[in-house]
Amino acid sequence: MKEHINFEPVEGVAIAIAVEQNEIGEDVWNVFLLNNNPYYLDNVLVASKGYGMHEGKEVKTSVLRHMFEQVPSKSAVKVEPIDPAIFHITNEYWVSYYVGDKIYDKKYIFVPESIIAENLVDISLLNTKGILHY
């Protein structure tokens, strides 16, 4: 059935993995969905999973699904925390949403070892640094 759906190209929507400090000053990593568009997103579904190899063994995380009824324009929502212990595997975020009656769908893939200090950029919408994937 998916082949019968006409998915529109995604623009202005990103996934960011950003570092923040908690109340005791420790670094905490979180995943955010950013909507840089001048319009809101409806019925946003984000499915996340991790997979890869570690020390010669296959590693898979649980698949988590998050639903956001609406994501306002020029805003960000926290999807989930992420443990730095899984930065060495592929982390995938599959985002689907509606704008009006059109459906949009995109996978954002953070390859192993891409979530590192050298790749941090300023993310103005979050007022912090992180890894940004458009």
Side-chain angles (χ1 to χ4, degrees):
M1 276 185 45
K2 186 176 174 181
E3 61 271 3
H4 300 335
I5 299 173
N6 183 25
F7 289 98
E8 300 290 332
V10 170
E11 294 179 0
V13 176
I15 292 287
I17 298 179
V19 62
E20 301 175 302
Q21 292 214 328
N22 65 13
E23 57 279 348
I24 58 174
E26 298 172 327
D27 284 348
V28 177
W29 291 85
N30 290 298
V31 178
F32 293 88
L33 174 74
L34 283 65
N35 178 14
N36 286 303
N37 292 303
Y39 47 82
Y40 60 85
L41 312 177
D42 276 325
N43 298 317
V44 181
L45 177 64
V46 181
S48 65
K49 67 180 178 179
Y51 52 89
M53 299 294 288
H54 182 65
E55 296 178 353
K57 294 183 182 175
E58 184 177 15
V59 177
K60 288 184 181 181
T61 68
S62 299
V63 175
L64 302 177
R65 291 175 182 84
H66 308 275
M67 178 70 181
F68 303 97
E69 200 169 305
Q70 194 172 82
V71 178
S73 65
K74 305 292 184 187
S75 71
V77 293
K78 188 182 295 185
V79 176
E80 64 187 19
I82 185 169
D83 188 339
I86 63 167
F87 289 173
H88 67 280
I89 62 174
T90 299
N91 289 280
E92 177 182 295
Y93 299 88
W94 191 351
V95 178
S96 297
Y97 60 91
Y98 284 88
V99 175
D101 62 350
K102 293 186 179 179
I103 190 168
Y104 296 79
D105 182 70
K106 183 173 180 177
K107 284 185 185 177
Y108 299 84
I109 299 175
F110 294 84
V111 296
E113 307 300 340
S114 63
I115 308 166
I116 57 174
E118 292 82 17
N119 292 339
L120 293 176
V121 297
D122 287 321
I123 303 172
S124 60
L125 204 53
L126 298 175
N127 198 29
T128 191
K129 290 186 178 286
I131 310 300
L132 190 57
H133 193 331
Y134 270 99

